[in-house]
Amino acid sequence: MRRRGHGCDDLLAGCADAIAAFRELLDRHLRSRPDDYFATFLDLLAVEEQYHWSAAMGDFSDDFYEVACPHCTVEVTIAIGGYGRYSAIRDWNLGDVDRRGLRPASPEGLSGIGRWMYETAVRDGEAVLADGIAHLFGHAECPRCASVFNIADEYAASNGPVM
């Protein structure tokens, strides 16, 4: 996917130094383990140009992500939080049926933004956030066809903005 201008790039032209200073300020604030840790974490994602994850990622207290299975296209609900860590088919009357446990990514298996988010959360002692990220960037099994897919890739592909 190739990035295209959206008309606002001119606003940031010449601001690289200010953005770098803001990035450092946000990161320093995170390392102080503030009460607003998660909000600051999302802000830092935006500064890192990870706009999708900045806007879409929850704090994993009770998060649900909807994705289409890349093999059979059925809508799969991904739960990461207090209700568990699973994939399921959501039924209006029955709730989440045919649950399948998620397969979290190992820290060594993470790459790119997933690795950066995980390492930042671990560095700052944010165990719930780190665990949620490992699950979000891990794999799910489709309850209908039993194929296994990467959750973050499918969620980003179906929900990310076109750049």
Side-chain angles (χ1 to χ4, degrees), residues 21-58:
F22 186 51
R23 178 184 295 114
E24 178 54 36
L25 179 68
L26 287 170
D27 192 51
R28 198 171 338 126
H29 185 62
L30 285 179
R31 285 180 272 153
S32 74
R33 300 183 181 175
D35 289 339
D36 66 345
Y37 184 91
F38 186 67
T40 304
F41 186 85
L42 296 178
D43 291 343
L44 186 55
L45 280 171
V47 169
E48 295 291 339
E49 297 184 13
Q50 295 297 322
Y51 309 118
H52 169 71
W53 292 118
S54 175
M57 195 173 79

Side-chain angles (χ1 to χ4, degrees), residues 14-23:
C15 296
D17 291 340
I19 292 170
F22 186 51
R23 178 184 295 114

Side-chain angles (χ1 to χ4, degrees), residues 103-154:
R103 303 169 188 178
S106 67
E108 304 80 33
L110 289 167
S111 62
I113 191 60
R115 183 179 196 97
W116 178 86
M117 287 192 292
Y118 179 84
E119 288 177 348
T120 301
V122 168
R123 176 198 74 188
D124 298 337
E126 296 289 328
V128 171
L129 183 58
D131 181 68
I133 292 165
H135 281 84
L136 181 62
F137 283 82
H139 291 85
E141 181 180 342
C142 175
R144 177 174 287 162
C145 72
S147 65
V148 176
F149 57 88
N150 181 280
I151 300 163
D153 288 349
E154 292 309 316

Side-chain angles (χ1 to χ4, degrees), residues 57-63 65 80-82 85 128-129 132-133 136:
M57 195 173 79
D59 64 1
F60 304 113
S61 59
D62 187 24
D63 291 354
Y65 300 87
I80 306 173
R85 290 159 180 77
V128 171
L129 183 58
I133 292 165
L136 181 62

Side-chain angles (χ1 to χ4, degrees), residues 79-91:
I80 306 173
Y83 286 103
R85 290 159 180 77
Y86 60 85
S87 62
I89 302 295
R90 182 153 285 174
D91 181 274

